[in-house]
Amino acid sequence: MPAYQRIAAEYRNKIASGALRPGDRLPTEQEVAHAYTVARQTVRQGLATLVAEGLIVAQRPHGYFVRQREHMVYRPQAESRPQPASPEMDRYFQQISSEGRKPSQTIEISLVPASPEIAQRLDVPEGQTVVARRRVRSINGEPVNTNDTHFPLDAVKDSDIMSPEDIPQGTNQRLAELGFAQVRAIDEFFIRMPTPEEVHRLDLAAGTPVALHIVTGYTAEGRPVRCTLNVLPGDRHVIVYEREWE
Amino acid sequence: MPAYQRIAAEYRNKIASGALRPGDRLPTEQEVAHAYTVARQTVRQGLATLVAEGLIVAQRPHGYFVRQREHMVYRPQAESRPQPASPEMDRYFQQISSEGRKPSQTIEISLVPASPEIAQRLDVPEGQTVVARRRVRSINGEPVNTNDTHFPLDAVKDSDIMSPEDIPQGTNQRLAELGFAQVRAIDEFFIRMPTPEEVHRLDLAAGTPVALHIVTGYTAEGRPVRCTLNVLPGDRHVIVYEREWE
DNA sequence: AAGTGGTCTAGACCACGAT
DNA sequence: TCGTGGTCTAGACCACTTA
């Protein structure tokens, strides 16, 4: 086995076994190089492996540190099924609930040409102008996820959905008041590495994959009236659904 | 901007714009090094960035190639809600349905001590013996995902769930016949990079994240009787749910 | 000023799969 | 045998943060 893989394996095992705990610092590159009698570049290759696996993070000039994941519960069903139905679910939320955090968000409204993904799901021609309501949601000032909702222009024009302010009752409720109540939605999840733009917008560490959650909402007539793209960093979320047999 | 980032950006843009299409080959490291007048290691660093992003893959000794993703539809609701309810959903499956593929699977049964994750969800002491039914599901001989279901030993002992063979009607049906019909389930999804063991078992390319899908099934009495860990490679799946307003 | 990781070079040899 | 990417070295200089 190559030297860099042996180095990666050593620290991977130490992290898995708990010998190194989240927040702990690793030895410096030079110290590892001496310990293994290899060049510094070889050490860097080994540690880069663990960075790509999301196990450690380099914080210059402090050193390498073991990462931690904190999973906020992300529950797509919340908007269509406000109360959890089962006692198991209540228990789940009790265990993983968050306390004493300060949520905040930024909102931008823009008119944009529909990308292929949006156009297909909203059933409009590619490039047609749609309304985009882009949000970054944060907790304690740190970005947690993004939420970019797209509406057909004719559905929401002249409404307050187009103003870049919080809509307390929610855009779904406002959309319903405009005559476009949603009765059905399709959720899709794509798992991939983030784009550089997403890395910047969400301040992602290397080795952090994301889930792209696409929601398409339909009226009773079967018309799609909303397409939301949520970007969920893997180190900050657990996605939860509740299901019953029919 | 460092040279290796310029190199990464060039090919990232070419892939995003379609100038390089899935399956296309990139120039060799040496060619890129000459083009940018940099050392080969610098080129390697740039291309390694794109490998980690999942955009390209190195196939020695053939060169670097643009990756492709083929998303099989993964529908957790299928086991509890056999028919899609909405016309939008039918359309979805028509668009992304798979044709003419040969599915296959391997099955292993073992008795294992419950890991913390399993023990917590099955509500048994950590380390208690549980039955594990481990499967690798393949299409055309290529692994697609893994499915490791765990049962409390007392629920399934002496039943054919413990034989390493296909159970045509499904383990949920057999479990129901044993008196443990499931009426409710919780789905959890964790997004992360794969472990080296998962990379090996599923033959994953570098830069491929996975979703860990954990299903916990409950009887009408609220007893958990099954905990399944599915590992879904991001380049092979789209996870789909259908939702209705209540 | 010191020490960390980040970038880069110019070489070397190796492993592997095609031809 | 050839050309590809994979591993490794011994150096160099830089950017950044903290002491």
Side-chain angles (χ1 to χ4, degrees), chain A residues 127-185:
Chain A
Q128 177 160 107
T129 299
V130 296
V131 176
R133 183 184 163 89
R134 291 165 55 91
R135 290 192 287 174
V136 178
R137 300 193 275 215
S138 303
I139 290 184
N140 293 338
E142 292 167 5
V144 175
N145 60 47
T146 63
N147 173 277
D148 300 344
T149 300
H150 302 76
F151 305 95
L153 180 54
D154 64 305
V156 300
K157 65 165 181 281
D158 305 328
S159 82
D160 59 359
I161 284 183
M162 298 203 58
S163 94
E165 298 181 7
D166 187 36
I167 300 182
Q169 70 270 48
T171 52
N172 285 343
Q173 178 60 32
R174 283 301 288 122
L175 210 48
E177 291 162 14
L178 292 169
F180 301 100
Q182 295 164 73
V183 300
R184 203 151 45 228

Side-chain angles (χ1 to χ4, degrees), chain B residues 31 33-34 36 56 80 95 97 179 192 204 240:
Chain B
E31 288 166 347
H34 281 133
Y36 280 83
I56 64 175
S80 53
Q95 282 181 19
S97 74
R192 57 167 172 75
L204 301 178
V240 176

Side-chain angles (χ1 to χ4, degrees), chain B residues 1 17 20 30 42-43 58 69 76 82 95-96 116 125 135 141-142 149-150 160 168-169 193 195 202 215 219 232 241:
Chain B
M1 183 183 286
S17 73
L20 279 171
Q30 199 166 137
T42 303
V43 176
R69 308 170 54 113
Q95 282 181 19
I96 316 193
R135 290 192 287 173
E142 291 166 6
T149 299
H150 302 77
D160 59 359
Q169 70 270 47
M193 298 310 288
T195 65
L202 285 163
V215 189
T219 65
L232 316 175
Y241 278 85

Side-chain angles (χ1 to χ4, degrees), chain B residues 22-113:
Chain B
D24 282 358
R25 198 193 143 173
L26 276 66
T28 68
E29 294 176 350
Q30 199 166 137
E31 288 166 347
V32 179
H34 281 133
Y36 280 83
T37 333
V38 295
R40 188 180 146 224
Q41 281 290 3
T42 303
V43 176
R44 283 181 62 74
Q45 195 177 356
L47 298 184
T49 304
L50 301 186
V51 170
E53 288 175 14
L55 295 179
I56 64 175
V57 61
Q59 285 178 3
R60 190 177 54 166
H62 303 293
Y64 290 88
F65 295 85
V66 180
R67 286 183 65 174
Q68 40 199 321
R69 308 170 54 113
E70 192 181 358
H71 292 120
M72 150 188 161
V73 176
Y74 180 85
R75 199 167 85 89
Q77 287 171 323
E79 66 175 3
S80 53
R81 182 198 253 191
Q83 2 267 2
S86 69
E88 294 82 18
M89 203 63 180
D90 282 337
R91 214 177 303 142
Y92 192 93
F93 282 120
Q94 277 175 17
Q95 282 181 19
I96 316 193
S97 74
S98 55
E99 313 112 357
R101 325 256 207 102
K102 303 270 165 57
S104 61
Q105 64 179 349
T106 65
I107 304 181
E108 295 172 9
I109 304 282
S110 54
L111 295 174
V112 298

Side-chain angles (χ1 to χ4, degrees), chain B residues 4-21:
Chain B
Y4 81 94
Q5 287 184 21
R6 288 202 308 273
I7 295 170
E10 168 181 342
Y11 290 102
R12 189 189 293 117
N13 291 338
K14 284 192 174 176
I15 292 169
S17 73
L20 279 171
R21 311 178 61 78

